[in-house]
Amino acid sequence: DSGVTQTPKHLITATGQRVTLRCSPRSGDLSVYWYQQSLDQGLQFLIQYYNGEERAKGNILERFSAQQFPDLHSELNLSSLELGDSALYFCASSQGYSEAFFGQGTRLTVV
Amino acid sequence: AQTVTQSQPEMSVQEAETVTLSCTYDTSENNYYLFWYKQPPSRQMILVIRQEAYKQQNATENRFSVNFQKAAKSFSLKISDSQLGDTAMYFCAFGDNAGNMLTFGGGTRLMVKP
């Protein structure tokens, strides 16, 4: 168990809908990262938050947004969903340096 | 920006034998971290081993060891006494010294055969 909790584990939704993925980082970790992994692909960095503030942005679509709350949990919001958004979405956390620990991921299926 | 390259999309090894996975990276930084993550069929990302660039000694974790060549920007993973449970995707990753996001390679799919 990495200590990073993601909910839900699975999500099936229709095109055009909006969903929210939730992440609780390891205790004491200030940084939260979101990654997207499409089928049999590598990990694409979406966005990073550090202690409540956005720190870095990767290839995140405008339809996607995220935030980190005062208790350090983070949410990734995906709107106007398309079939191509179907993927495994990972949250990871770290103390701001060194390695990141990953949650089990949320498998999103858009139908 | 950093880049990480894994040139072996797929590899296979017989159970109990040794296999080496390759990784090269490009960076202009002097202090950084390198990692190998394992992703088994469950799709969970599991940290296998880490290496600090300022350390000359290669990291070792049980059957897993790395060959870190800083000048050549090479970071290979050696798995000794391969086990069926080692079957997974292996990702090499680069982390800077400031805690910014990890940059991942494309992965190597390893199959351990009985």
Side-chain angles (χ1 to χ4, degrees):
Chain A
D1 183 5
S2 67
V4 179
T5 303
Q6 287 188 249
T7 56
K9 289 185 179 178
H10 301 277
L11 198 50
I12 301 175
T13 190
T15 54
Q17 295 299 304
R18 172 188 170 95
V19 297
T20 297
L21 312 183
R22 182 187 170 100
C23 170
S24 294
R26 292 189 320 157
S27 177
D29 285 358
L30 298 179
S31 269
V32 170
Y33 314 81
W34 287 97
Y35 288 85
Q36 179 192 55
Q37 185 180 34
S38 300
L39 189 63
D40 289 334
Q41 300 292 314
L43 285 90
Q44 297 298 317
F45 169 69
L46 296 178
I47 197 164
Q48 178 195 1
Y49 280 83
Y50 179 83
N51 202 21
E53 297 202 358
E54 181 183 303
R55 184 162 184 176
K57 253 185 179 179
N59 297 321
I60 187 167
L61 300 172
E62 286 190 7
R63 301 183 285 108
F64 296 1
S65 65
Q67 55 184 326
Q68 187 179 28
F69 295 86
D71 66 352
L72 301 178
H73 91 271
S74 178
E75 293 181 356
L76 178 67
N77 301 296
L78 315 176
S79 61
S80 302
L81 285 167
E82 302 175 359
L83 296 178
D85 297 327
S86 295
L88 191 55
Y89 291 85
F90 282 107
C91 168
S93 75
S94 79
Q95 293 182 340
Y97 59 92
S98 191
E99 67 265 36
F101 292 89
F102 284 76
Q104 290 190 314
T106 293
R107 184 178 298 279
L108 173 66
T109 303
V110 182
V111 296
Chain B
Q2 292 80 21
T3 59
V4 178
T5 302
Q6 294 179 247
S7 59
Q8 306 151 315
E10 293 186 1
M11 295 189 71
S12 64
V13 62
Q14 291 295 133
E15 195 175 7
E17 294 188 348
T18 296
V19 63
T20 299
L21 280 57
S22 300
C23 172
T24 58
Y25 59 94
D26 189 24
T27 183
S28 59
E29 300 186 22
N30 190 47
N31 294 320
Y32 49 88
Y33 298 86
L34 294 164
F35 309 96
W36 281 96
Y37 283 87
K38 169 184 176 181
Q39 188 177 42
S42 66
R43 304 297 296 275
Q44 181 155 10
M45 293 289 289
I46 302 167
L47 178 66
V48 175
I49 199 166
R50 59 173 272 181
Q51 174 79 43
E52 294 93 334
Y54 65 87
K55 289 187 178 179
Q56 292 188 341
Q57 186 173 6
N58 289 323
T60 299
E61 287 288 342
N62 300 313
R63 298 182 294 107
F64 299 87
S65 62
V66 299
N67 183 3
F68 173 49
Q69 301 290 328
K70 190 174 184 180
K73 296 180 181 175
S74 170
F75 182 61
S76 60
L77 174 70
K78 186 172 81 172
I79 306 174
S80 304
D81 186 24
S82 296
Q83 300 176 0
L84 296 178
D86 296 333
T87 292
M89 280 287 285
Y90 287 82
F91 291 96
C92 177
F94 175 100
D96 67 19
N97 208 32
N100 292 316
M101 88 294 185
L102 297 179
T103 300
F104 285 87
T108 295
R109 186 180 304 278
L110 176 67
M111 173 74 71
V112 179
K113 299 180 178 179

